[in-house]
Amino acid sequence: MSEAFDCAKCSETLYGRKYIQTDSGPYCVPCYDNTFANTCAECQQLIGHDSRELFYEDRHFHEGCFRCCRCQRSLADEPFTCQDSELLCNDCYCSAFSSQCSACGETVMPGSRKLEYGGQTWHEHCFLCSGCDQPLGSRSFVPDKGAHYCVPCYENKFAPRCARCSKTLTQGGVTYRDQPWHRECLVCTGCQTPLAGQQFTSREEDPYCVTCFGELFAPKCSSCKRPIVGLDGGKYVSFEDRHWHHSCFSCARCATSLVGQGFVPDGDQVLCQGCSQAGP
């Protein structure tokens, strides 16, 4: 007598039938599928033993069910992305979720190098200086009315230029005659002393420190022989071709101040009325 050859599940004979052998015994095809086959995450049907099965993140699919949820393209042999548990081909993912390059208008593909600034996105090779057209990459740049400039191009195009050396002022600087100057360029025309933050005056548009201006151009006091400069509200008295500081304009004999008083010239000296009438 021959030994029984039955399905391990339904116990029906397997003689003359297709079966599948497992470690726990032989199974007829229906019992095998019901016992061991996975359920397709898309159609919820069993994935039979003779079907090509695809597996992704604990989910199983028929080959025909593993497709883009938007365009229904098969993803069996295509690159894809999972977004909120939905499978998307690269084209649909890019169309729905990827940024558009602000320069060329093309999609910035996932994983590609990109730059983002002010809510906009660029391919790395599209983010160029508006002046020299060189890629900005990780370099410092300056935005200006929708354009972007590398620092050298921005300085050459927009930064103020020193009235003396014509080079750009990148920081600091001073204003003289409504023009920008480097602090180190604003110096006395006579002695080259820096004038930034110091009191100074000018002659024929050239700046001079107080000392040089007094020595070169200011009239000399007929009494103390020092320059008479009008800075700080300084006052002086002039008579014919002679000049005096207010503090120096006094009677040569009694030293009485003659400012606002009558006086009498006596050679190189000036006298008050009293000393003049007193005689020599």
Side-chain angles (χ1 to χ4, degrees):
M1 179 182 290
S2 61
E3 185 178 350
F5 186 51
D6 300 333
C7 173
K9 177 99 182 213
C10 67
S11 299
E12 292 187 8
T13 182
L14 296 176
Y15 284 112
R17 300 176 60 189
K18 184 177 180 182
Y19 69 92
I20 300 173
Q21 183 67 44
T22 71
D23 291 341
S24 58
Y27 287 80
C28 65
V29 170
C31 285
Y32 178 86
D33 286 345
N34 287 328
T35 303
F36 299 105
N38 293 305
T39 300
C40 177
E42 178 66 21
C43 70
Q44 303 303 312
Q45 300 298 312
L46 290 176
I47 304 173
H49 70 283
D50 56 350
S51 299
R52 183 184 178 190
E53 180 178 345
L54 299 176
F55 175 80
Y56 177 72
E57 290 188 348
D58 297 327
R59 292 185 290 168
H60 301 264
F61 301 85
H62 292 105
E63 180 180 11
C65 293
F66 193 66
R67 58 183 181 266
C68 175
C69 67
R70 298 200 176 205
C71 70
Q72 304 305 308
R73 178 194 302 179
S74 172
L75 300 177
D77 300 305
E78 296 282 341
F80 64 90
T81 302
C82 184
Q83 182 72 22
D84 297 330
S85 298
E86 292 185 332
L87 301 177
L88 298 168
C89 66
N90 273 2
D91 289 343
C92 288
Y93 177 83
C94 291
S95 176
F97 300 105
S98 294
S99 303
Q100 305 297 310
C101 177
S102 297
C104 70
E106 298 294 328
T107 299
V108 180
M109 297 297 291
S112 63
R113 296 178 67 85
K114 64 181 180 179
L115 292 167
E116 296 180 324
Y117 175 75
Q120 295 179 292
T121 304
W122 290 264
H123 295 109
E124 185 179 42
H125 59 272
C126 289
F127 192 55
L128 307 177
C129 171
S130 300
C132 63
D133 289 330
Q134 294 300 307
L136 290 171
S138 59
R139 299 164 60 194
S140 297
F141 67 91
V142 182
D144 184 78
K145 298 177 181 178
H148 305 88
Y149 296 89
C150 64
V151 174
C153 283
Y154 183 82
E155 291 179 351
N156 287 334
K157 187 175 181 66
F158 298 107
R161 294 183 177 274
C162 175
R164 180 174 184 180
C165 70
S166 298
K167 295 181 179 179
T168 57
L169 280 80
T170 56
Q171 59 183 0
V174 293
T175 300
Y176 170 61
R177 291 188 175 274
D178 296 325
Q179 292 181 307
W181 294 61
H182 291 111
R183 296 178 67 88
E184 60 271 21
C185 287
L186 185 62
V187 297
C188 173
T189 306
C191 65
Q192 303 302 304
T193 298
L195 298 177
Q198 305 297 320
Q199 194 174 52
F200 66 94
T201 186
S202 63
R203 181 181 176 88
E204 296 179 355
E205 299 188 2
D206 293 326
Y208 289 88
C209 67
V210 174
T211 300
C212 285
F213 183 85
E215 293 295 334
L216 295 172
F217 307 110
K220 303 299 188 292
C221 177
S222 294
S223 177
C224 70
K225 310 305 180 185
R226 290 182 298 168
I228 299 174
V229 293
L231 299 175
D232 293 327
K235 297 180 180 180
Y236 62 96
V237 176
S238 294
F239 175 69
E240 295 181 345
D241 58 350
R242 290 185 290 171
H243 311 278
W244 293 265
H245 294 105
H246 262 207
S247 59
C248 294
F249 190 55
S250 57
C251 176
R253 293 184 184 177
C254 68
T256 299
S257 173
L258 298 177
V259 176
Q261 306 297 321
F263 66 90
V264 177
D266 184 22
D268 293 335
Q269 300 178 336
V270 288
L271 305 175
C272 64
Q273 296 283 359
C275 290
S276 173
Q277 293 175 359

